Amino acid sequence: MSETDPWQAVLERIDDGARLIGLDDGIHRMLSVPTRVLEVAVPVRMDNGRVEVFTGWRVHHDVSRGPGKGGIRFHQSVTVNEVKALAAEMTLKCAVVDIPFGGAKGGVQVDPRLLSDFELERLTRRYTIDVASLLGPDRDVPAPDVNTDARVMAWLMDTISMFRGEAVTGIVTGKPVAIGGSLGHVGATSQGVLICCRAIFHELGMPMAGARAIVQGHGKVGGPLCYLLSSAGMRVVAVTDADGGVYNPAGLDTLALADHVARRGSVDGFEMADPLDPAKLWEIECELAVPAALENTITAEAAESLGAKVVVEAANGPTVPQADAVLERRGIVLVPDILANAGGVTASYFEWAQSRQGFAWEGQIVAERLRRIMETAFDACWHRSKDLKVTLRRASVALALERVGEAIRLRGLFP
Ligand code: GLU
């Protein structure tokens, strides 16, 4: 196993949390293995008539607290261990925000940029049928993740609905609003990250107004977040993505940047800033650093030279375990992924509830309930970290394991 193997990293964190709370040994063992891992071959007829075969997975980590919940990611470097790790993080995340779901995740090893729209649709529909035996409003409810969006969710819902001969809206979240999606789902992860930024700055007695922020990633989460941070009075001084980076010490015009990304597909080439080598991002001196891209980007080495005082993890698994120790030694406070980015799955919970009720909530109600759940979760993790005298990450995992452990204990072991 490489030291940045994501599944190994999650297991280490689960082991640590289990020790912190004295988790029952049998329950600890159950949570150290995913409940089920389905690997599928996904054949797709390409536009040129050739058949390509992609590999996909759907993993349930633990479903004691409710149906599996978690996104589907399309990425060329997805591996089974990554999907297992992401599923386990969903178990912990749903427990941290105390919503009635277990942890699941899906992935297909494909670079969607190389597919036409029709190829992407055929891939989505075939993958959906291949993993359909695991899905259902009471079984497992997928959602968007890296490189998947409302359109992909609509195809997924339609495929299952055609197959079953009835509209199965509760089978997926992150759907377009026109077919049963929820107001406020788009941007909910970024909103949740902002709520955590406000909370941690408040606890540390740091003003947000005028403080400097750097953001890695300008996609579904990083993009809206840049705007939200600057609306909160922060100076977003640097943003990078897979193709480049931009830097402006006076603060970037985040609306103009979003406009540029919408036209060009990357922050690269944005005129109202200097170009920035993405490898230099973490060194920039600032108050807040937000990884909002893929995993393993804050390595131990990056942590040594990190220029921020606070890290808020918008991405899943962006910090390797060795870097956690470095940040702690350097007094850098980190708000972990399973808390910081839980706004997305919380909005998914609202959407699932609305789909099942057949009753759409007003946007204001969604926003208010999201804020309440995120603030409650932040407070619970913050107080647990004070009580246990450990980092927020270790405290959040401990809190989550306590809740998952209780569900497993109450249900008992079948047969
Ligand atoms: N993909 C998002 C996450 O990692 C959302 C998952 C969901 O809504 O089910 O939290």
Side-chain angles (χ1 to χ4, degrees), residues 65 92-99 338-339 342-343 345-346 373-374 377 403:
R65 284 175 48 88
L92 301 174
K93 192 184 299 185
C94 293
V96 162
V97 282
D98 209 1
I99 58 176
I338 56 170
L339 169 61
V345 74
T346 302
I373 287 189
M374 290 304 296
R403 291 176 176 168

Side-chain angles (χ1 to χ4, degrees), residues 346 350 357 361 363-375:
T346 302
F350 299 157
Q357 284 177 316
W361 306 355
Q364 223 180 332
I365 290 179
V366 171
E368 175 54 28
R369 289 182 175 164
L370 177 66
R371 188 181 58 75
R372 220 181 310 145
I373 287 189
M374 290 304 296
E375 287 178 354

Side-chain angles (χ1 to χ4, degrees), residues 69-71 90 93 105 141-145 173 185 316 341 344-345 348:
K69 190 82 195 79
M90 290 309 302
K93 192 184 299 185
K105 201 81 178 197
V141 186
D145 196 74
T173 60
H185 192 280
N316 287 314
N341 72 31
V345 74
S348 281

